[in-house]
Amino acid sequence: MKTVGQSVRMNGYNKLISRTSDADGSDGKYSMVLRNDGLIMYLNNSGQLLIYGGWPGSSLGSFVIFDAVPENENATAYGLVLAINQDVPPPGHSRRLLQSRPIRNGGQLNLSKLNYNATYSFLRLGSDGNLRAYTYYDKVSYLKWEESFAFFSNYFIRECALPSKCGSYGLCQRGMCVACPSHNDLLGWSESCAPPQLPPCKSGATVEYYKIVGVQHFLGPYLDDGKGPMNVAECQKECDRDCKCVGFFYKEDTSKCLLAPLLGTLISDVNTSVGYIKYAK
């Protein structure tokens, strides 16, 4: 958790770490780390750090400060921002996962705007991996702490891009978990939806793949959709040879291949990306 005025720094404490759960305060599997190439959100998958969000691709300098700044002279509205090191030019790369508001303004990353004093705010990386801000509003009689920002939301980065949105597995469309993919077709989603159980490495068991058209993996936008160009058969061979690969995602328009070490939430997308999910025959 970070409160207004606190920071992450390259030469000091450079990360936020989630809890394991709301009841367990030990370190969880999600983190947000300030690096030379940005402020990046990671999922720890058995020691392998998988990027799933943040502001990657450009240096933000040696420190980033969470702050609430007045939007006007009368301070009737405040903006929640991440102020970046002023001696570094603001990054100019674009974001692939759509948001509906600008996120940069000079030396700061804009998070949200509130029509009241937001100086009592804190930033937390939740046990589900979502980055949220909470702000104290004393003009109400109860629930005075309200969620004032969420990285994965209907106004910033689409909710379906959160790996844990549908639990361990599921197909997400417009912020809702709509199906549980299987080799028998798309089934109704529930919290019990789980990815296929694969045999141990070097077991000699036969595996096959089932196909899901129009889906994107959460890694895709951050890894430029994978390697390529290559054809589908070559992509499958890459996954066959990699024991940690649980499926692959193929971009038909660019012939790019993305190997997935984890499935989680699959993003329903009207594009040319096709998912191939590995399962034991």
Side-chain angles (χ1 to χ4, degrees):
M1 181 177 74
K2 288 289 180 185
T3 58
V4 162
Q6 292 185 310
S7 63
V8 286
R9 297 177 179 271
M10 291 288 291
N11 59 352
Y13 193 76
N14 72 330
K15 67 179 68 175
L16 289 180
I17 301 176
S18 71
R19 295 179 174 184
T20 296
S21 69
D22 291 344
D24 183 350
S26 61
D27 288 353
K29 60 183 178 180
Y30 299 98
S31 61
M32 184 172 70
V33 184
L34 180 62
R35 297 164 37 109
N36 289 326
D37 55 351
L39 185 61
I40 304 175
M41 298 164 71
Y42 290 108
L43 188 166
N44 188 331
N45 180 47
S46 301
Q48 181 184 17
L49 295 181
L50 306 178
I51 181 173
Y52 71 97
W55 293 264
S58 299
S59 173
L60 300 182
S62 59
F63 60 85
V64 174
I65 300 174
F66 175 55
D67 203 1
V69 296
E71 293 275 319
N72 51 50
E73 292 182 358
N74 297 324
T76 56
Y78 278 73
L80 293 180
V81 304
L82 296 176
I84 66 176
N85 191 350
Q86 295 297 305
D87 60 7
V88 175
H93 71 281
S94 61
R95 182 178 299 281
R96 287 267 309 280
L97 294 178
L98 299 178
Q99 71 278 323
S100 59
R101 60 184 296 144
I103 62 171
R104 292 186 178 84
N105 179 20
Q108 66 189 34
L109 306 174
N110 298 324
L111 303 181
S112 65
K113 179 181 177 180
L114 303 174
N115 292 319
Y116 56 87
N117 190 324
T119 52
Y120 289 104
S121 298
F122 67 87
L123 196 63
R124 173 182 289 167
L125 186 60
S127 58
D128 63 350
N130 204 350
L131 180 68
R132 298 180 177 90
Y134 297 89
T135 300
Y136 185 78
Y137 183 56
D138 62 358
K139 304 301 182 183
V140 295
S141 58
Y142 65 99
L143 298 178
K144 294 187 176 184
W145 285 100
E146 70 169 0
E147 181 183 297
S148 48
F149 167 75
F151 188 89
F152 297 99
S153 58
N154 60 8
Y155 56 85
F156 205 73
I157 301 299
R158 55 185 175 180
E159 294 176 81
C160 289
L162 177 64
S164 67
K165 174 66 179 178
C166 297
S168 62
Y169 193 43
L171 179 64
C172 185
Q173 184 178 45
R174 297 179 181 176
M176 296 184 293
C177 302
V178 296
C180 182
S182 78
H183 66 279
N184 292 320
D185 206 355
L186 297 178
L187 308 177
W189 185 85
S190 70
E191 292 183 357
S192 63
C193 181
Q197 290 287 331
L198 294 174
C201 295
K202 300 180 181 179
S203 66
T206 302
V207 296
E208 292 189 355
Y209 297 83
Y210 61 84
K211 181 178 179 180
I212 313 173
V213 177
V215 294
Q216 184 181 34
H217 192 270
F218 67 83
L219 286 172
Y222 301 102
L223 299 182
D224 196 25
D225 296 322
K227 299 189 300 182
M230 66 177 72
N231 59 41
V232 174
E234 291 170 327
C235 189
Q236 179 175 325
K237 287 180 181 178
E238 292 270 343
C239 190
D240 288 341
R241 289 192 290 262
D242 186 346
C243 182
K244 295 181 180 179
C245 178
V246 296
F248 64 92
F249 293 78
Y250 188 75
K251 286 279 288 183
E252 295 178 333
D253 56 342
T254 59
S255 301
K256 284 197 169 183
C257 169
L258 176 70
L259 303 187
L262 176 73
L263 292 176
T265 301
L266 306 183
I267 307 166
S268 178
D269 208 351
V270 183
N271 61 17
T272 56
S273 180
V274 181
Y276 295 83
I277 310 303
K278 186 186 288 186
Y279 72 100
K281 187 175 179 181

